[in-house]
Amino acid sequence: MIRAVLVINNQGKPRLAKFYNYTPVEQQQQIIRTIYSVLCLQSNFIDGASIFGQDTHLVYKLFATLYFVFVFDSSENELAMFDLIQVYVETLEKGFNNVCELDIVLNYTKMHTILNEMILGGQVVETNSQNIIQAVEEISKLEKVTAATKLISKSASILWG
Amino acid sequence: MNPFSSETRLRDMIRAIRACKTAAEERAVVRKECASIRAAVSDNDNDYRHRNLAKLMFIHMLGYPTHFGQMECLKLIAAPGFPEKRIGYLGLMLLLDERQEVLMLVTNSLKQDLNHTNQYIVGLALCALGNISSAEMARDLAPEVERLLQFRDPNVRKKAALCSIRIIKKVPDLAENFVNPVASLLKEKHHGVLLTVIQLCAELCTVSEEALEYFRKKCTEGLVKVLKDAVNSPYAPEYDISGIADPFLQIRLLRILRILGHGDADASDLMNDILAQVATKTESNKNAGNAILYECVETIMSIEDSGGLRVLAINILGRFLSNRDNNIRYVALNMLMKAISVDGQAVQRHRATILECVKDSDASIRKRALELVYLLVNETNVKPLTKELVDYLEVSDQDFKGDLTAKICSIVEKLSPEKIWYIDQMLKVLCEAGNYVKDEVWHGLIVVITNATNLHGYTVRSLYRAIQTSGDQEAVVRVAVWCIGEYGDLLVNNVGMLDLEEPITVTENDAVDVIEAAIKRHTSDLTTRAMCLTALLKLSSRFPSCSQRIKEIVNQSKGSLLLELQQRSIEFDSIIEKHQNLRSALVERMPVLDEATYSVRRAGSLPADTSTSQGNPLQIPNGVPKTIDAPLLDLLDLGADEPAPQNSSAPNFLQDLLGGDILSSASQPGTTQPQKSGTDVLLDLLSTGPSPAQNGSSTTDILSLGPDNNNSNSKTSLNALDSLSLSTVTQAQSVPASSVIDLLDGFGPNPTVPKDNGPAYPPITAFESGSLSLVFNFSKQPGSPQITEIEAKFTNKSSGIYTDFIFQAAVPKFLQLHLEPASSNTLPGSGSGSITQKLRVTNNQHGKKSLVMRIRISYKLNNKDMLEEGQISNFPRDL
């Protein structure tokens, strides 16, 4: 099971923090700090036992200014997690068109929506970035339609009210 | 509209937070936002609720408390609109957890949304349920989820499958309800659904034994076929990851096969073919392909299998080891570590590649590989492997040397086939990385050396060569110094030459040179220097011609600031100087150290307890049985921070004094004076010696050391005596009290100690006003009569408290005055306290003029400045 997905920028600021087991806010911040401090190491695999307890692995990849960190236990394949990070980033790329840190900061609810279409309760839902993007686009379309109708009804009520 | 209600948009808030330069600024911005959100919450503001919650999620991510937003999530979820629901569910997953009671309230909304006509809303609800479901919610909503497993849209089906995993985890009883739907879904064609259903299936297998049996019987074949299709499928771009068709699905399939095949020969049999196919056909030039291979290897290792596949698997790992990607090498090493227990022989075949990984540039790979090599070493390959590792030690990173030497030493100790090899390898390690080895390593080496009786000559010659080339390695120096001290005669006379040795000519002076260099080396620490002194003492007897030179070297440490060295050098000097006839017995070669006792002691199971080793008492030539582990201990523990054994009695204490070798000599005087007990032996040792008639009382014996030294250097010997007596007291804790008193008595009346302080000059009242009095106490440092130490003591007889109390003094030119800081600047009233201040006056015309001083005292009484002045001329005359 995947225990957490974190996106941390190269100054240690969290840009996305999703924990699949309940973790109090203070502990979340502690974890983010600890992980950030070990990210400077060379290897892409870090023994996460000291941070998350026994049987934890940690895989990260650095894209431009952002570290994408997946924390998971031994029921996941380390190398596959590596590819999963790739899938996530590819999906973000498709979803934002040339994703940059600012996109991610300003649209972190969309980040979460994409992540939810990919990982659910610590398990992988979908690994095809095209499918994920499709689902996310459907959702945003739905959102726009509802927002539009709401706008109309509001202005209408002003007109007639 | 509430005036506090924030009109800022989410983006503006994020920008404001990002613009903050300090953490304090950030906190201020967040506090302001939180205040306005709280206000909106209490106003029950509908328009901006989802915007506020979106802000709260961001604030939450930054680590601020957001509990006040929890109810807002529930309200948004209950709202009809999609944007509200979406944000509501996101907030629910981030801000709430299954332990909060608020969560109970959401069950009803979830139920409605799971039955919603809009599949995206169903999707949102499933996602939330899968992330935060509690046991109660799982029970309540399991039927809905079960139904959704058959939903027409695959997106909903796969989410329902993962949601079921959470439900089963929370309520394992519900597992049986899912077995049949899962069995039928395993025939699914849609990749995404298949992926999730396999995960659900794996979860069912771990939760329920019956489910495992069921799937093993019914589905193994089907899953093998699915995997076969996946492997052989034509190019399918949609699930392609860098040229490999759907690696995630293949990995999941391999994993479920592993669960099914583990411990079941029939099921394992069914999957043999496909595993072999995956292992041979998967391309290994991409990460995705390697991920599949890695998973496949793991499956092969854990299913019941004939040897063939396992060899294939380990060969794959061997190929991984030469991959350029660090990550691949890393997982391969991890996997090989597990594989050793399954098939050690197959792993052995890749020894060479693993050894290459020890030399990797990546630190974590090196460490793994080293651990693996350590597991691989056995009697047959220990020699070549150790050679490789020792060779690598030369070029390895500084920070890796510690680990590497520890492992090499452990291998050599564990598996050495013969002593000469052991000694050779250890010398190599010490020469390369002597500064990195732990103390036990060279302690152990010394034990082995003493036991290898026929190799003493060879060892000491090798060490002599080693110290010439690697004199900067502390451990080499220590072992070499010890061995030259013990076996110096073998070194000089080339005794016991082995065939393979090159002849070497070492004169007695050369041997002493080595030790002199070691003791003078500025990097040598206390232990090394102390060992050098002991070695010198021994050499003084072994090389009579160098005796005078050795005495000079020993004497140089007399002024050492380190107590241990100073004490040793004074004692040894005395032995060399005056106890010629005692010396040869004192410095006899160490008895052979008992390896068994040492290794047990090292393991820590044996406390320093002589009773356990009484079984193997050592016969010393003069017939007094002594146990050996005490001297060994003292010798090897010198400088170590563990305290001396608690039950050490007088003989042990002697060991400490003379570096371990005294034991045999301790019995020597014992034979001449058989009536003396252990503590008396101590006195004998320090005494002038062998003629018992001469040393009637031990007190005079000790004193005899004093004046003797005084002649050469009065100051040093004074200090030395002081410290000697001190150390005797501290070390003699276990010696009966009477003898301690004896020793101390010896120093008491010592006429060479000038004890002219205090009482020689009576204190004077230097200044006396209505309320303030100042008393001077005098003392002089022995040996410098012109310097007077004055302790000034102020007392306040009035009722008020003097604050900001400052004392100033002035002296004429022939005096020099130094004022130390005062003990306080507040002087309590009515004589209840005092201030003391030290002054040091140097009188340049001592004996001609007496002291005179002008003083000024300022202070505040009730915040009013007060000043008193005066002249002191009633000093004692000869200060």
Side-chain angles (χ1 to χ4, degrees):
Chain A
M1 157 174 190
I2 298 168
R3 301 202 180 175
V5 175
L6 303 169
V7 179
I8 305 174
N9 79 354
N10 55 5
Q11 276 147 32
K13 284 267 174 215
R15 290 303 176 217
L16 176 97
K18 179 85 182 166
F19 290 81
Y20 290 99
N21 287 330
Y22 174 66
T23 325
V25 185
E26 300 78 32
Q27 205 184 330
Q28 289 186 8
Q29 294 302 311
Q30 180 62 39
I31 288 170
I32 290 169
R33 273 196 295 275
T34 329
I35 289 182
Y36 178 68
S37 67
V38 294
L39 283 182
C40 314
L41 294 177
Q42 279 296 304
S43 169
N44 293 81
F45 297 138
I46 297 158
D47 183 24
S50 51
I51 310 165
F52 285 90
Q54 280 301 300
D55 187 27
T56 318
H57 304 270
L58 209 148
V59 168
Y60 77 88
K61 243 180 169 178
L62 177 64
F63 291 90
T65 57
L66 294 171
Y67 288 100
F68 286 76
V69 188
F70 278 45
V71 185
F72 53 94
D73 63 17
S74 64
S75 67
E76 304 288 335
N77 182 315
E78 289 103 321
L79 297 175
M81 282 301 119
F82 217 56
D83 280 333
L84 198 62
I85 297 182
Q86 190 66 41
V87 170
Y88 186 48
V89 175
E90 271 174 25
T91 315
L92 291 180
E93 192 78 32
K94 285 178 187 162
F96 288 110
N97 287 330
N98 268 333
V99 64
C100 68
E101 191 180 335
L102 193 66
D103 290 330
I104 286 172
V105 179
L106 295 180
N107 298 294
Y108 71 101
T109 57
K110 189 169 177 185
M111 291 272 287
H112 272 290
T113 310
I114 293 175
L115 190 62
N116 285 341
E117 290 299 319
M118 204 171 105
I119 299 168
L120 195 161
Q123 313 284 344
V124 181
V125 189
E126 179 61 70
T127 56
N128 179 351
S129 54
Q130 200 52 52
N131 285 4
I132 300 171
I133 280 300
Q134 226 163 29
V136 173
E137 273 167 5
E138 289 292 335
I139 288 173
S140 44
K141 214 184 282 170
L142 202 59
E143 188 144 324
K144 269 183 200 134
V145 169
T146 331
T149 46
K150 209 170 158 192
L151 213 65
I152 290 167
S153 66
K154 229 182 193 173
S155 43
S157 67
I158 291 169
L159 273 180
W160 294 314
Chain B
M1 176 82 36
N2 187 309
F4 292 107
S5 171
S6 161
E7 286 296 315
T8 50
R9 294 183 307 155
L10 174 61
R11 277 177 181 240
D12 297 333
M13 181 193 82
I14 294 175
R15 286 212 177 89
I17 289 177
R18 270 166 60 85
C20 293
K21 296 219 167 43
T22 63
E25 271 182 55
E26 185 186 294
R27 277 197 295 276
V29 172
V30 169
R31 209 180 300 126
K32 197 166 147 252
E33 283 295 340
C34 281
S36 71
I37 294 170
R38 272 171 198 268
V41 167
S42 55
D43 275 5
N44 209 2
D45 175 6
N46 274 322
D47 294 340
Y48 291 107
R49 185 170 282 141
H50 72 289
R51 180 199 278 179
N52 285 339
L53 191 59
K55 284 181 187 169
L56 267 188
M57 284 190 277
F58 193 83
I59 291 169
H60 176 264
M61 182 175 69
L62 296 176
Y64 296 92
T66 50
H67 46 88
F68 55 86
Q70 287 171 352
M71 276 314 285
E72 299 298 283
C73 297
L74 305 192
K75 284 181 192 161
L76 283 172
I77 290 170
F82 186 80
E84 285 85 359
K85 272 194 195 297
R86 187 177 76 91
I87 294 290
Y89 277 117
L90 276 183
L92 183 72
M93 286 184 274
L94 288 175
L95 308 185
L96 274 81
D97 74 279
E98 55 183 278
R99 279 169 246 184
Q100 265 139 2
E101 289 188 3
V102 190
L103 206 57
M104 296 287 292
L105 304 173
V106 89
T107 313
N108 207 26
S109 307
L110 271 173
K111 195 165 197 157
Q112 278 177 9
D113 285 346
L114 287 176
N115 291 316
H116 205 278
T117 48
N118 185 328
Q119 56 152 315
Y120 291 100
I121 290 179
V122 178
L124 285 179
L126 279 173
C127 190
L129 189 62
N131 276 328
I132 56 147
S133 168
S134 66
E136 288 95 40
M137 289 166 80
R139 255 181 234 287
D140 289 347
L141 300 172
E144 265 74 24
V145 176
E146 222 183 299
R147 186 176 54 74
L148 289 170
L149 279 175
Q150 324 290 344
F151 198 82
R152 64 192 149 69
D153 186 86
N155 278 327
V156 173
R157 284 207 298 274
K158 63 190 183 192
K159 281 184 182 167
L162 292 187
C163 201
S164 313
I165 295 180
R166 173 91 183 187
I167 290 174
I168 296 166
K169 270 190 185 152
K170 288 290 156 196
V171 193
D173 304 349
L174 291 171
E176 53 185 295
N177 299 354
F178 288 93
V179 171
N180 281 323
V182 167
S184 60
L185 276 171
L186 282 175
K187 302 187 182 82
E188 179 78 48
K189 285 281 176 286
H190 189 276
H191 282 225
V193 179
L194 204 49
L195 186 73
T196 53
V197 170
I198 290 169
Q199 291 177 75
L200 174 56
C201 181
E203 185 63 34
L204 283 170
C205 289
T206 52
V207 167
S208 147
E209 196 63 34
E210 292 152 36
L212 175 61
E213 276 308 311
Y214 179 84
F215 287 123
R216 195 175 267 162
K217 292 271 166 333
K218 301 268 164 150
C219 301
T220 309
E221 243 181 312
L223 286 167
V224 168
K225 192 174 169 300
V226 174
L227 181 56
K228 209 170 268 173
D229 290 345
V231 174
N232 296 324
S233 66
Y235 181 66
E238 52 169 2
Y239 281 96
D240 171 274
I241 305 272
S242 53
I244 307 286
D246 205 355
F248 292 101
L249 181 62
Q250 291 194 40
I251 287 168
R252 286 287 161 204
L253 281 164
L254 287 165
R255 195 167 280 260
I256 186 81
L257 289 181
R258 171 152 88 242
I259 295 169
L260 297 177
H262 184 72
D264 188 293
D266 291 343
S268 303
D269 225 33
L270 283 173
M271 52 191 84
N272 269 349
D273 280 353
I274 184 64
L275 290 179
Q277 200 187 345
V278 172
T280 47
K281 277 186 93 176
T282 310
E283 278 182 57
S284 62
N285 51 0
K286 292 274 165 49
N287 183 57
N290 284 324
I292 296 175
L293 284 173
Y294 173 55
E295 195 69 39
C296 184
V297 168
E298 213 171 339
T299 302
I300 291 172
M301 286 300 173
S302 46
I303 65 168
E304 309 304 307
D305 171 55
S306 54
L309 269 182
R310 290 212 169 127
V311 173
L312 186 61
I314 290 175
N315 286 344
I316 291 175
L317 294 179
R319 256 191 289 141
F320 274 15
L321 285 182
S322 33
N323 197 301
R324 271 202 321 235
D325 188 347
N326 284 353
N327 301 326
I328 308 246
R329 288 202 301 278
Y330 183 89
V331 294
L333 288 169
N334 265 350
M335 197 67 216
L336 282 169
M337 207 96 83
K338 290 187 211 161
I340 274 187
S341 57
V342 183
D343 190 349
Q345 214 48 47
V347 181
Q348 287 285 359
R349 254 175 269 137
H350 298 280
R351 210 169 52 217
T353 337
I354 297 168
L355 213 49
E356 282 307 304
C357 289
V358 175
K359 306 169 188 174
D360 201 279
S361 56
D362 185 291
S364 53
I365 289 180
R366 279 201 305 254
K367 217 164 158 222
R368 292 271 148 182
L370 185 61
E371 274 165 30
L372 190 55
V373 168
Y374 184 68
L375 294 176
L376 281 177
V377 180
N378 57 26
E379 284 81 4
T380 52
N381 60 23
V382 60
K383 281 195 173 181
L385 271 180
T386 311
K387 184 179 180 309
E388 282 280 343
L389 292 179
V390 171
D391 287 349
Y392 176 59
L393 192 57
E394 280 176 46
V395 290
S396 66
D397 267 10
Q398 294 296 324
D399 39 350
F400 190 49
K401 277 192 173 152
D403 283 344
L404 194 56
T405 47
K407 283 280 189 280
I408 296 176
C409 293
S410 168
I411 291 171
V412 171
E413 276 168 23
K414 205 171 60 175
L415 292 163
S416 83
E418 59 218 319
K419 288 218 160 91
I420 184 167
W421 185 81
Y422 175 97
I423 292 170
D424 279 346
Q425 300 309 314
M426 287 310 247
L427 283 192
K428 278 188 200 160
V429 172
L430 292 188
C431 287
E432 281 309 327
N435 292 334
Y436 297 91
V437 299
K438 293 211 175 72
D439 280 352
E440 301 96 66
V441 171
W442 64 266
H443 291 175
L445 177 60
I446 287 181
V447 175
V448 172
I449 291 174
T450 65
N451 277 284
T453 328
N454 52 340
L455 294 174
H456 284 169
Y458 168 75
T459 310
V460 71
R461 282 187 292 275
S462 310
L463 277 164
Y464 180 78
R465 287 196 193 95
I467 200 173
Q468 309 287 349
T469 53
S470 314
D472 53 337
Q473 306 286 346
E474 194 86 35
V476 178
V477 174
R478 286 181 187 173
V479 179
V481 162
W482 191 89
C483 283
I484 292 173
E486 288 296 320
Y487 313 119
D489 43 341
L490 306 181
L491 171 66
V492 174
N493 303 326
N494 274 336
V495 177
M497 281 295 267
L498 301 185
D499 296 340
L500 55 111
E501 266 185 274
E502 281 174 40
I504 176 174
T505 331
V506 184
T507 66
E508 297 184 348
N509 265 318
D510 290 341
V512 178
D513 280 344
V514 166
I515 304 208
E516 187 180 8
I519 201 169
K520 287 188 172 157
R521 209 167 55 105
H522 66 281
T523 51
S524 293
D525 65 1
L526 170 65
T527 312
T528 312
R529 289 187 184 169
M531 289 178 82
C532 287
L533 282 176
T534 310
L536 284 169
L537 175 67
K538 295 202 166 197
L539 288 183
S540 75
S541 164
R542 309 233 199 292
F543 305 155
S545 64
C546 293
S547 191
Q548 190 53 38
R549 185 177 163 210
I550 288 171
K551 187 173 168 328
E552 280 160 22
I553 303 172
V554 169
N555 272 337
Q556 288 164 2
S557 295
K558 274 187 177 172
S560 170
L561 292 175
L562 298 165
L563 177 61
E564 176 75 25
L565 294 184
Q566 194 183 68
Q567 186 181 349
R568 271 185 203 232
S569 83
I570 290 169
E571 287 162 359
F572 291 175
D573 178 57
S574 163
I575 291 169
I576 297 171
E577 178 87 343
K578 287 187 295 184
H579 306 284
Q580 299 288 348
N581 35 6
L582 180 73
R583 188 175 65 188
S584 59
L586 259 178
V587 301
E588 257 181 17
R589 192 165 291 165
M590 282 276 287
V592 172
L593 301 165
D594 185 22
E595 271 179 293
T597 321
Y598 177 69
S599 51
V600 174
R601 274 194 55 76
R602 241 181 96 178
S605 55
L606 182 70
D609 183 3
T610 44
S611 66
T612 48
S613 56
Q614 265 168 3
N616 49 358
L618 184 86
Q619 287 300 122
I620 282 174
N622 61 14
V624 184
K626 289 282 174 187
T627 51
I628 189 61
D629 88 334
L632 162 63
L633 177 73
D634 280 343
L635 175 72
L636 295 180
D637 275 357
L638 82 195
D641 31 80
E642 77 182 68
Q646 285 301 302
N647 61 345
S648 67
S649 54
N652 274 2
F653 162 46
L654 292 174
Q655 248 75 68
D656 271 348
L657 281 178
L658 288 180
D661 258 9
I662 214 72
L663 183 61
S664 49
S665 69
S667 53
Q668 192 86 353
T671 47
T672 56
Q673 293 177 312
Q675 78 278 10
K676 291 207 168 187
S677 67
T679 42
D680 293 317
V681 174
L682 158 68
L683 301 178
D684 269 346
L685 272 169
L686 293 173
S687 80
T688 29
S691 54
Q694 201 184 334
N695 56 340
S697 98
S698 55
T699 317
T700 49
D701 292 335
I702 293 168
L703 277 178
S704 72
L705 291 172
D708 183 42
N709 292 327
N710 258 348
N711 296 339
S712 53
N713 181 341
S714 86
K715 185 127 199 215
T716 326
S717 80
L718 181 67
N719 292 339
L721 269 174
D722 279 346
S723 53
L724 183 60
S725 72
L726 258 177
S727 71
T728 313
V729 174
T730 49
Q731 290 190 26
Q733 280 152 349
S734 53
V735 176
S738 63
S739 75
V740 178
I741 293 162
D742 272 355
L743 284 167
L744 289 176
D745 279 350
F747 295 108
N750 193 331
T752 60
V753 183
K755 283 198 166 180
D756 46 351
N757 38 12
Y761 304 99
I764 60 164
T765 303
F767 179 81
E768 181 104 51
S769 74
S771 56
L772 185 70
S773 96
L774 164 59
V775 177
F776 278 180
N777 277 304
F778 304 100
S779 62
K780 274 196 185 283
Q781 281 292 323
S784 45
Q786 67 270 35
I787 298 174
T788 310
E789 304 272 3
I790 304 173
E791 190 189 57
K793 187 173 176 185
F794 304 88
T795 33
N796 171 10
K797 284 173 282 184
S798 74
S799 54
I801 300 171
Y802 295 172
T803 55
D804 297 331
F805 190 93
I806 296 169
F807 167 72
Q808 289 165 302
V811 289
K813 274 186 183 153
F814 68 90
L815 297 174
Q816 281 168 345
L817 175 68
H818 178 84
L819 274 166
E820 304 272 332
S823 61
S824 155
N825 64 354
T826 310
L827 190 56
S830 37
S832 62
S834 61
I835 294 178
T836 56
Q837 186 163 17
K838 284 214 166 83
L839 296 80
R840 190 168 65 240
V841 184
T842 310
N843 189 348
N844 291 332
Q845 301 195 14
H846 176 69
K848 292 181 205 153
K849 292 187 179 173
S850 59
L851 299 186
V852 63
M853 191 182 284
R854 214 176 244 287
I855 60 165
R856 174 196 283 194
I857 299 165
S858 63
Y859 54 87
K860 280 184 179 169
L861 177 61
N862 298 330
N863 259 341
K864 225 169 81 188
D865 285 322
M866 307 288 280
L867 190 68
E868 303 202 38
E869 288 179 314
Q871 178 159 344
I872 308 169
S873 42
N874 57 339
F875 284 103
R877 289 215 65 77
D878 45 351
L879 277 174

